[in-house]
Structure formats: structure tokens, C-alpha cells
Amino acid sequence: MKRIKAMVCSLLLAGSSSAFAAESPRDYATGMTLETSSSSPWYRVALPREVYQHSAWPDLRDVRVFNQQGERVPFTLMTKSTPPAVADSVVLRLFPLAASPITTTDARAPQTIRLKAANGVEINLQGDEAKSVGQSYLLTLPDSREASLHLTQLRLDWAASSTSWQGNASVYASRDLSHWQRVQENAPLMDLSRDGERLKMNTVAAELTLSPKGRRYLLLVLDPQTPMPELKGVMAVAQPQEPLTERIQLPAAVANATSTEAIWQWDQPQPLSALSITLMEEGVLPVDIAWRSDEKSEWHPLAKSVLYNVNDQAQEAFPLSANVVEAIRITTVDAHLPQTLPRVSGEREVKVLVFNAQGKGPYMLAWGNKAAENVALRLNQLIPESLPASKNIETLPWAQPLETIKLGGDTRLQAVSAGEQQKLWVAIAVWAVLIVGVGALLMVALRIWREARR
């Protein structure tokens, strides 16, 4: 029994010593040397794209900085963020227009269409514009509006229809109702219904400034080939202020594709704030988009939408609430994927690492260790609050990442954490006790059997 106890203790001690050994750069898959051009107790590091793409953890808990002696130095990870900007939305005044051609005896005169509202306002369109006039509406800022509106899109609201339809819309802007400038041409609109599901595309990109003292009139002209339901209202969505939170684009690679469905994957799961999908060819593509967090998890619906690339205009990015995404799936709706598949990329927040320059340089940035735990400090643990540097991190000098260095290799991406190592050693010790105990019982039984035969 004493031998068994001694064996168990030795196994546990071996596991404990391996689990709590000090970290070194070789514990991480990859590293980059850092160049520090000036003397400072603290430095900032803008994490390279490779760190986000190949970190073993979505929250970057396996990022480290080591000095020349291979010792880990204190650091913190920071995100520059502000509350999300809210777009200024304004409901525009809406006037339906009745169209009638203007006849002339001059054969050289351009074709002219007169558009007239119930309040007596008249608009004349000539040339190519007059050839493709369907339902038309005059849009204006509210009379009470005094400030300018930096418009990015028009959001249309039409009456519900029992049948599916799709068409195009063009937008013109004017100061005086006489001279019109085209803002958008043949923007796609649609309202599709199938099996109780509804796919609606009701926004038109229109980037311009509306002002009570400048361009205050918009003309919305619909495709005459496909009449749409009655338009009930139009909302102008203003351009929001740019958020201070910086994001980095991380492209995904095609993992599997058929004529109607394709899957894109990232090397490591990513906490994405938005998803960008770009059609490489001109066209419109109704789709159903889903995402998953890992290969074994189920697919979660993201959006039923329309991808488009028309006149250098494309749909906006699809927002995500920092969901950890390993792959996305795009399934077409009554359509086939184009020959050149769309380009997919995710957006995640940019992190800035601040480290304390302990020991001698050069310093090394390292990442890629599944066994790593979160050891990043809070800012007030790294820089005393009484020092000016804690109030303005922007004044700290940058440490520039240089060449990439292979350290422990890709096997570190599947390393076992210290806690899991300890559990593994305990399991081994228990099995060892059981095996030795069974062996001891067999020996006792064998001895009793031999004595009985005598």
C-alpha cells in the first residue's frame, strides 16, 4: 500500500510541476519582434492582422509580450469605443404625381413628360428621363425643418400586396423644381412572399445633402414596367457620425459550395461586430444568411436579405453583436450563386496592447496557445492613476512589430490548459491506483489458490 501511495504522490507532483511551470515564448505558436525607437516605461502595440486571425482564443487571452530574457512582462488590452451613433431620420412630405406627355410639332424637340401634383406643382422631364417614367412622387423636407440633412438612403413604405413583385427606382434632386440632377438610377426594389416568408427590399441609396436653403426637393421615379403598390411614406435616413471604435476586416475563405449554397470559414472563430458580403459581378441576389460558432454547433439565422451590386452601389454590412462566428452560410432564394462567389469578410474591434517595458529589449509579441489563461491587467494596475500617462494613452510611443517568428508551432493551438493538465494527472493517478490494486488482488488470489492446492 505504501508503494501505491508513493506512486500516486509522484504522479500528482509531476503533473503539478508541469502545470504551473513559468511561461516562455516557446509556449506560443508564433511571435513578432518589437522595435522600440525611444525610451519609455510603457509602449503601445497595434496588433497585426495575424494575431486576430490565428489567436487560439476569440478574446485574445493568449496574447503575451516577453523581454529578451524570455520573461513575460505586464500588459493590458484596450478597445477604443464610443456609444453607437444614432442616425437622424426624417419623414419626408410625399406628393404623388400624375404623368402626361407634352406634344409638340417640332420633330427635333426632345420627348417631354409633365408631372403634376394635386397641389398644382408641375415638373417637366425631358430626354431619356422622360422615356422611363412610371409612378412618380415629389419628396420635400418638412416645413419645420431648418437644419441640413446629410442623407444616405431613402426608406420606402408601401401598402402590403398579396402578390410578389420587383422593380427599379431612380432619384433626382433639385433646388427649384426646374433643374434636376440624377442621384440614383435603377435601384432595385422588391417584395417577395413564399411559404409564409417575406423578403422585402425597400431602401434606395442616395448620398446628398438636403437643405431648406439648397436642394430641398427629391423626385422618386419608379420603373413603368412593374407597377408597385401604393407608396404610403418615405423616410430619409441621415448619415451617422463615424464611431470612434476602430474595426479590422478579416476575410473568410470558401469551405464548401454548390449552385445554391456556400459556406465561408475563418481559421479561428472571431467575435464579429459586422459581416460584409460583396457581389463580385453586377446583379441582385436574394439570400438567406446564417452563422455558427464552431463546426459542431447549429446554424443561427442572421438575415433574409438581398445582395446587390448595381451602379457601384451595394448593400450595407450586416450587424452582429460581437457573436463568436466560425463560419457563415449563404443560401439563395429562387436563384443560383454567381460563377464568381461573393467576397465575405467579418469586422471585429481593434485592440491596442500597452505593456510595461520590464527587463531588456528587444521585446517579443507572442500568441497562439490554447492552454493560456487571461493574465492581462487593468489599466490602473499597469499605470498608476496619478501619472499623466494613465489619462492620455495616446501619448505613449509605439512599438512596431517586425518579422514573424515561428515559436512553438501550430501544435500550441491545441495545447491543454494547466487546469485540464491537473485533471488529466489526477485521472491517471486514479487509474494507476485501480490497476495496481487489481494487480495486488490478483496476486493475493493467486497465492491463496496455490496454498489451497497444497
Side-chain angles (χ1 to χ4, degrees):
M1 247 349 246
K2 290 183 179 179
R3 290 183 180 179
I4 296 176
K5 290 181 179 179
M7 181 183 300
V8 172
C9 290
S10 62
L11 286 170
L12 291 174
L13 287 173
S16 177
S17 61
S18 63
F20 299 103
E23 286 187 326
S24 72
R26 301 294 298 179
D27 293 326
Y28 293 82
T30 314
M32 279 186 172
T33 55
L34 299 174
E35 181 183 49
T36 53
S37 57
S38 60
S39 177
S40 173
W42 301 281
Y43 293 93
R44 290 180 292 163
V45 181
L47 298 182
R49 189 183 303 272
E50 293 91 329
V51 176
Y52 300 98
Q53 291 176 319
H54 303 298
S55 172
W57 291 94
D59 60 4
L60 305 181
R61 72 181 65 174
D62 57 323
V63 174
R64 300 287 189 269
V65 175
F66 294 94
N67 59 23
Q68 187 183 49
Q69 293 74 39
E71 300 168 333
R72 188 182 75 209
V73 301
F75 70 95
T76 187
L77 283 170
M78 302 181 59
T79 302
K80 294 182 181 179
S81 60
T82 58
V86 178
D88 182 15
S89 299
V90 176
V91 177
L92 300 178
R93 299 172 67 194
L94 176 67
F95 300 94
L97 300 173
S100 60
I102 297 177
T103 59
T104 178
T105 57
D106 187 356
R108 295 173 298 177
Q111 181 177 347
T112 304
I113 291 288
R114 175 178 292 136
L115 304 174
K116 188 174 182 179
N119 61 0
V121 174
E122 291 187 359
I123 300 170
N124 293 335
L125 290 182
Q126 295 181 340
D128 293 337
E129 286 82 0
K131 297 178 182 178
S132 57
V133 173
Q135 295 168 270
S136 303
Y137 298 87
L138 177 65
L139 311 173
T140 71
L141 285 171
D143 289 337
S144 59
R145 176 83 183 195
E146 298 181 356
S148 298
L149 181 70
H150 302 289
L151 180 67
T152 57
Q153 68 175 19
L154 299 174
R155 189 171 300 153
L156 312 184
D157 182 23
W158 52 71
S161 175
S162 58
T163 59
S164 299
W165 65 270
Q166 55 184 344
N168 299 311
S170 298
V171 179
Y172 302 83
S174 175
R175 294 173 178 266
D176 54 8
L177 295 176
S178 297
H179 303 87
W180 294 91
Q181 178 184 2
R182 183 188 292 129
V183 176
Q184 179 61 270
E185 182 179 18
N186 294 329
L189 298 172
M190 63 179 62
D191 196 346
L192 306 178
S193 299
R194 179 188 178 189
D195 298 331
E197 298 277 348
R198 187 182 184 191
L199 180 61
K200 186 176 182 180
M201 183 176 181
N202 64 335
T203 59
V204 178
E207 295 189 7
L208 75 156
T209 299
L210 294 179
S211 170
K213 297 182 180 179
R215 290 185 297 185
R216 63 171 300 135
Y217 303 104
L218 293 177
L219 178 62
L220 179 67
V221 179
L222 302 172
D223 180 7
Q225 307 300 323
T226 310
M228 67 173 281
E230 179 185 359
L231 193 61
K232 299 193 299 182
V234 177
M235 179 175 290
V237 180
Q239 182 178 8
Q241 295 181 353
E242 288 294 328
L244 296 179
T245 301
E246 296 183 21
R247 294 179 180 178
I248 187 170
Q249 293 275 352
L250 302 177
V254 178
N256 191 11
T258 66
S259 62
T260 59
E261 183 178 284
I263 295 175
W264 286 258
Q265 285 182 311
W266 286 266
D267 291 337
Q268 298 290 337
Q270 301 291 336
L272 300 182
S273 301
L275 180 70
S276 298
I277 305 175
T278 305
L279 286 182
M280 307 307 294
E281 304 170 359
E282 279 213 354
V284 176
L285 186 66
V287 295
D288 186 354
I289 307 171
W291 62 275
R292 70 185 182 196
S293 55
D294 58 66
E295 291 185 357
K296 296 181 180 179
S297 65
E298 62 181 9
W299 291 99
H300 304 280
L302 176 60
K304 292 181 182 293
S305 186
V306 180
L307 308 178
Y308 64 92
N309 179 359
V310 179
N311 299 327
D312 295 326
Q313 299 289 331
Q315 79 287 334
E316 298 177 352
F318 299 94
L320 287 160
S321 302
N323 301 105
V324 176
V325 180
E326 179 264 344
I328 71 148
R329 182 184 66 194
I330 295 178
T331 306
T332 60
V333 178
D334 293 336
H336 290 284
L337 286 167
Q339 185 174 2
T340 302
L341 292 176
R343 183 173 63 234
V344 173
S345 63
E347 300 177 11
R348 66 172 291 174
E349 291 182 342
V350 170
K351 297 284 187 178
V352 175
L353 184 147
V354 179
F355 71 92
N356 182 205
Q358 292 187 3
K360 295 182 178 180
Y363 298 92
M364 175 181 290
L365 177 70
W367 66 92
N369 183 356
K370 192 66 174 178
E373 298 181 357
N374 190 0
V375 298
L377 303 176
R378 297 191 302 271
L379 181 61
N380 60 6
Q381 293 177 305
L382 188 70
I383 305 176
E385 292 183 345
S386 58
L387 296 181
S390 65
K391 308 297 189 296
N392 189 3
I393 301 299
E394 302 299 324
T395 62
L396 298 180
W398 290 100
Q400 300 295 337
L402 299 178
E403 70 274 9
T404 301
I405 301 172
K406 184 177 181 180
L407 299 174
D410 292 342
T411 56
R412 300 305 304 165
L413 297 174
Q414 287 80 40
V416 180
S417 67
E420 290 173 333
Q421 289 182 36
Q422 191 71 5
K423 292 179 181 178
L424 179 60
W425 281 109
V426 170
I428 292 175
V430 171
W431 277 104
V433 170
L434 292 175
I435 292 172
V436 173
V438 170
L441 290 175
L442 290 175
M443 292 178 64
V444 171
L446 181 61
R447 183 181 301 173
I448 294 174
W449 179 73
R450 287 177 177 174
E451 290 179 354
R453 290 190 63 183
R454 293 176 183 173

PDB file of all heavy atoms in Angstrom, residues 269 291-300 324-327 329:
ATOM      1  N   PRO A 269     -12.419  30.993 -34.762  1.00  0.00           N
ATOM      2  CA  PRO A 269     -13.653  31.738 -34.511  1.00  0.00           C
ATOM      3  C   PRO A 269     -13.368  33.184 -34.114  1.00  0.00           C
ATOM      4  O   PRO A 269     -12.405  33.460 -33.400  1.00  0.00           O
ATOM      5  CB  PRO A 269     -14.304  30.951 -33.367  1.00  0.00           C
ATOM      6  CG  PRO A 269     -13.739  29.570 -33.495  1.00  0.00           C
ATOM      7  CD  PRO A 269     -12.328  29.751 -33.969  1.00  0.00           C
ATOM      8  N   TRP A 291     -25.200  31.768 -39.475  1.00  0.00           N
ATOM      9  CA  TRP A 291     -23.838  31.680 -38.928  1.00  0.00           C
ATOM     10  C   TRP A 291     -23.801  30.594 -37.848  1.00  0.00           C
ATOM     11  O   TRP A 291     -24.822  30.199 -37.298  1.00  0.00           O
ATOM     12  CB  TRP A 291     -23.385  33.014 -38.340  1.00  0.00           C
ATOM     13  CG  TRP A 291     -24.224  33.489 -37.178  1.00  0.00           C
ATOM     14  CD1 TRP A 291     -25.380  34.194 -37.240  1.00  0.00           C
ATOM     15  CD2 TRP A 291     -23.970  33.247 -35.779  1.00  0.00           C
ATOM     16  NE1 TRP A 291     -25.871  34.420 -35.973  1.00  0.00           N
ATOM     17  CE2 TRP A 291     -25.032  33.853 -35.052  1.00  0.00           C
ATOM     18  CE3 TRP A 291     -22.969  32.595 -35.078  1.00  0.00           C
ATOM     19  CZ2 TRP A 291     -25.092  33.822 -33.673  1.00  0.00           C
ATOM     20  CZ3 TRP A 291     -23.032  32.556 -33.691  1.00  0.00           C
ATOM     21  CH2 TRP A 291     -24.083  33.170 -33.004  1.00  0.00           C
ATOM     22  N   ARG A 292     -22.586  30.123 -37.570  1.00  0.00           N
ATOM     23  CA  ARG A 292     -22.395  29.162 -36.476  1.00  0.00           C
ATOM     24  C   ARG A 292     -21.110  29.535 -35.732  1.00  0.00           C
ATOM     25  O   ARG A 292     -20.211  30.185 -36.283  1.00  0.00           O
ATOM     26  CB  ARG A 292     -22.308  27.729 -37.006  1.00  0.00           C
ATOM     27  CG  ARG A 292     -21.041  27.429 -37.785  1.00  0.00           C
ATOM     28  CD  ARG A 292     -21.048  26.037 -38.382  1.00  0.00           C
ATOM     29  NE  ARG A 292     -19.784  25.760 -39.081  1.00  0.00           N
ATOM     30  CZ  ARG A 292     -19.594  24.769 -39.939  1.00  0.00           C
ATOM     31  NH1 ARG A 292     -20.615  23.955 -40.224  1.00  0.00           N
ATOM     32  NH2 ARG A 292     -18.418  24.581 -40.516  1.00  0.00           N
ATOM     33  N   SER A 293     -21.018  29.085 -34.471  1.00  0.00           N
ATOM     34  CA  SER A 293     -19.866  29.443 -33.645  1.00  0.00           C
ATOM     35  C   SER A 293     -18.726  28.436 -33.741  1.00  0.00           C
ATOM     36  O   SER A 293     -17.573  28.778 -33.485  1.00  0.00           O
ATOM     37  CB  SER A 293     -20.295  29.591 -32.183  1.00  0.00           C
ATOM     38  OG  SER A 293     -20.932  28.413 -31.736  1.00  0.00           O
ATOM     39  N   ASP A 294     -19.028  27.185 -34.103  1.00  0.00           N
ATOM     40  CA  ASP A 294     -17.989  26.181 -34.337  1.00  0.00           C
ATOM     41  C   ASP A 294     -18.575  25.081 -35.210  1.00  0.00           C
ATOM     42  O   ASP A 294     -19.771  25.069 -35.493  1.00  0.00           O
ATOM     43  CB  ASP A 294     -17.423  25.616 -33.025  1.00  0.00           C
ATOM     44  CG  ASP A 294     -18.499  24.986 -32.152  1.00  0.00           C
ATOM     45  OD1 ASP A 294     -19.072  23.964 -32.568  1.00  0.00           O
ATOM     46  OD2 ASP A 294     -18.770  25.513 -31.065  1.00  0.00           O
ATOM     47  N   GLU A 295     -17.732  24.142 -35.614  1.00  0.00           N
ATOM     48  CA  GLU A 295     -18.153  23.121 -36.566  1.00  0.00           C
ATOM     49  C   GLU A 295     -19.235  22.199 -36.001  1.00  0.00           C
ATOM     50  O   GLU A 295     -20.010  21.613 -36.758  1.00  0.00           O
ATOM     51  CB  GLU A 295     -16.948  22.285 -37.000  1.00  0.00           C
ATOM     52  CG  GLU A 295     -15.954  23.050 -37.866  1.00  0.00           C
ATOM     53  CD  GLU A 295     -14.843  22.159 -38.387  1.00  0.00           C
ATOM     54  OE1 GLU A 295     -14.833  20.968 -38.010  1.00  0.00           O
ATOM     55  OE2 GLU A 295     -14.011  22.645 -39.157  1.00  0.00           O
ATOM     56  N   LYS A 296     -19.317  22.075 -34.674  1.00  0.00           N
ATOM     57  CA  LYS A 296     -20.282  21.154 -34.064  1.00  0.00           C
ATOM     58  C   LYS A 296     -21.579  21.844 -33.663  1.00  0.00           C
ATOM     59  O   LYS A 296     -22.533  21.166 -33.276  1.00  0.00           O
ATOM     60  CB  LYS A 296     -19.654  20.487 -32.835  1.00  0.00           C
ATOM     61  CG  LYS A 296     -18.445  19.612 -33.173  1.00  0.00           C
ATOM     62  CD  LYS A 296     -17.883  18.962 -31.919  1.00  0.00           C
ATOM     63  CE  LYS A 296     -16.678  18.085 -32.246  1.00  0.00           C
ATOM     64  NZ  LYS A 296     -16.102  17.451 -31.033  1.00  0.00           N
ATOM     65  N   SER A 297     -21.625  23.168 -33.715  1.00  0.00           N
ATOM     66  CA  SER A 297     -22.821  23.881 -33.267  1.00  0.00           C
ATOM     67  C   SER A 297     -23.819  24.024 -34.405  1.00  0.00           C
ATOM     68  O   SER A 297     -23.488  23.857 -35.581  1.00  0.00           O
ATOM     69  CB  SER A 297     -22.449  25.255 -32.717  1.00  0.00           C
ATOM     70  OG  SER A 297     -21.923  26.071 -33.752  1.00  0.00           O
ATOM     71  N   GLU A 298     -25.064  24.374 -34.059  1.00  0.00           N
ATOM     72  CA  GLU A 298     -26.112  24.519 -35.069  1.00  0.00           C
ATOM     73  C   GLU A 298     -26.003  25.890 -35.739  1.00  0.00           C
ATOM     74  O   GLU A 298     -25.360  26.806 -35.226  1.00  0.00           O
ATOM     75  CB  GLU A 298     -27.477  24.361 -34.413  1.00  0.00           C
ATOM     76  CG  GLU A 298     -27.774  25.415 -33.346  1.00  0.00           C
ATOM     77  CD  GLU A 298     -29.115  25.212 -32.692  1.00  0.00           C
ATOM     78  OE1 GLU A 298     -29.744  24.165 -32.936  1.00  0.00           O
ATOM     79  OE2 GLU A 298     -29.546  26.093 -31.928  1.00  0.00           O
ATOM     80  N   TRP A 299     -26.672  26.009 -36.880  1.00  0.00           N
ATOM     81  CA  TRP A 299     -26.692  27.267 -37.613  1.00  0.00           C
ATOM     82  C   TRP A 299     -27.739  28.199 -37.008  1.00  0.00           C
ATOM     83  O   TRP A 299     -28.845  27.774 -36.686  1.00  0.00           O
ATOM     84  CB  TRP A 299     -27.003  27.027 -39.089  1.00  0.00           C
ATOM     85  CG  TRP A 299     -25.903  26.329 -39.833  1.00  0.00           C
ATOM     86  CD1 TRP A 299     -25.829  25.003 -40.142  1.00  0.00           C
ATOM     87  CD2 TRP A 299     -24.717  26.926 -40.365  1.00  0.00           C
ATOM     88  NE1 TRP A 299     -24.669  24.733 -40.824  1.00  0.00           N
ATOM     89  CE2 TRP A 299     -23.967  25.897 -40.983  1.00  0.00           C
ATOM     90  CE3 TRP A 299     -24.214  28.229 -40.385  1.00  0.00           C
ATOM     91  CZ2 TRP A 299     -22.748  26.134 -41.609  1.00  0.00           C
ATOM     92  CZ3 TRP A 299     -22.997  28.467 -41.006  1.00  0.00           C
ATOM     93  CH2 TRP A 299     -22.275  27.423 -41.609  1.00  0.00           C
ATOM     94  N   HIS A 300     -27.359  29.488 -36.884  1.00  0.00           N
ATOM     95  CA  HIS A 300     -28.271  30.505 -36.375  1.00  0.00           C
ATOM     96  C   HIS A 300     -28.629  31.466 -37.508  1.00  0.00           C
ATOM     97  O   HIS A 300     -27.737  31.932 -38.230  1.00  0.00           O
ATOM     98  CB  HIS A 300     -27.625  31.291 -35.230  1.00  0.00           C
ATOM     99  CG  HIS A 300     -27.147  30.438 -34.104  1.00  0.00           C
ATOM    100  ND1 HIS A 300     -27.988  29.946 -33.135  1.00  0.00           N
ATOM    101  CD2 HIS A 300     -25.905  29.971 -33.795  1.00  0.00           C
ATOM    102  CE1 HIS A 300     -27.306  29.227 -32.272  1.00  0.00           C
ATOM    103  NE2 HIS A 300     -26.027  29.222 -32.652  1.00  0.00           N
ATOM    104  N   VAL A 324     -19.423  35.189 -31.517  1.00  0.00           N
ATOM    105  CA  VAL A 324     -18.267  34.397 -31.946  1.00  0.00           C
ATOM    106  C   VAL A 324     -18.698  33.559 -33.141  1.00  0.00           C
ATOM    107  O   VAL A 324     -19.550  32.685 -33.026  1.00  0.00           O
ATOM    108  CB  VAL A 324     -17.749  33.511 -30.801  1.00  0.00           C
ATOM    109  CG1 VAL A 324     -16.613  32.624 -31.300  1.00  0.00           C
ATOM    110  CG2 VAL A 324     -17.272  34.370 -29.641  1.00  0.00           C
ATOM    111  N   VAL A 325     -18.103  33.850 -34.294  1.00  0.00           N
ATOM    112  CA  VAL A 325     -18.506  33.235 -35.562  1.00  0.00           C
ATOM    113  C   VAL A 325     -17.331  32.462 -36.144  1.00  0.00           C
ATOM    114  O   VAL A 325     -16.240  33.005 -36.308  1.00  0.00           O
ATOM    115  CB  VAL A 325     -18.980  34.309 -36.563  1.00  0.00           C
ATOM    116  CG1 VAL A 325     -19.392  33.665 -37.875  1.00  0.00           C
ATOM    117  CG2 VAL A 325     -20.134  35.116 -35.980  1.00  0.00           C
ATOM    118  N   GLU A 326     -17.580  31.196 -36.449  1.00  0.00           N
ATOM    119  CA  GLU A 326     -16.565  30.363 -37.105  1.00  0.00           C
ATOM    120  C   GLU A 326     -16.818  30.243 -38.599  1.00  0.00           C
ATOM    121  O   GLU A 326     -15.889  30.101 -39.388  1.00  0.00           O
ATOM    122  CB  GLU A 326     -16.556  28.984 -36.447  1.00  0.00           C
ATOM    123  CG  GLU A 326     -15.568  27.988 -37.040  1.00  0.00           C
ATOM    124  CD  GLU A 326     -16.229  27.066 -38.087  1.00  0.00           C
ATOM    125  OE1 GLU A 326     -17.471  27.008 -38.110  1.00  0.00           O
ATOM    126  OE2 GLU A 326     -15.502  26.430 -38.864  1.00  0.00           O
ATOM    127  N   ALA A 327     -18.102  30.319 -39.006  1.00  0.00           N
ATOM    128  CA  ALA A 327     -18.444  30.180 -40.424  1.00  0.00           C
ATOM    129  C   ALA A 327     -19.795  30.830 -40.673  1.00  0.00           C
ATOM    130  O   ALA A 327     -20.608  30.992 -39.761  1.00  0.00           O
ATOM    131  CB  ALA A 327     -18.476  28.707 -40.830  1.00  0.00           C
ATOM    132  N   ARG A 329     -23.106  30.780 -43.702  1.00  0.00           N
ATOM    133  CA  ARG A 329     -23.692  30.028 -44.817  1.00  0.00           C
ATOM    134  C   ARG A 329     -24.655  30.954 -45.561  1.00  0.00           C
ATOM    135  O   ARG A 329     -25.490  31.615 -44.947  1.00  0.00           O
ATOM    136  CB  ARG A 329     -24.442  28.808 -44.294  1.00  0.00           C
ATOM    137  CG  ARG A 329     -25.053  27.931 -45.384  1.00  0.00           C
ATOM    138  CD  ARG A 329     -25.854  26.809 -44.760  1.00  0.00           C
ATOM    139  NE  ARG A 329     -27.025  27.321 -44.053  1.00  0.00           N
ATOM    140  CZ  ARG A 329     -27.750  26.601 -43.192  1.00  0.00           C
ATOM    141  NH1 ARG A 329     -27.407  25.360 -42.922  1.00  0.00           N
ATOM    142  NH2 ARG A 329     -28.799  27.137 -42.586  1.00  0.00           N
TER     143      ARG A 329
END
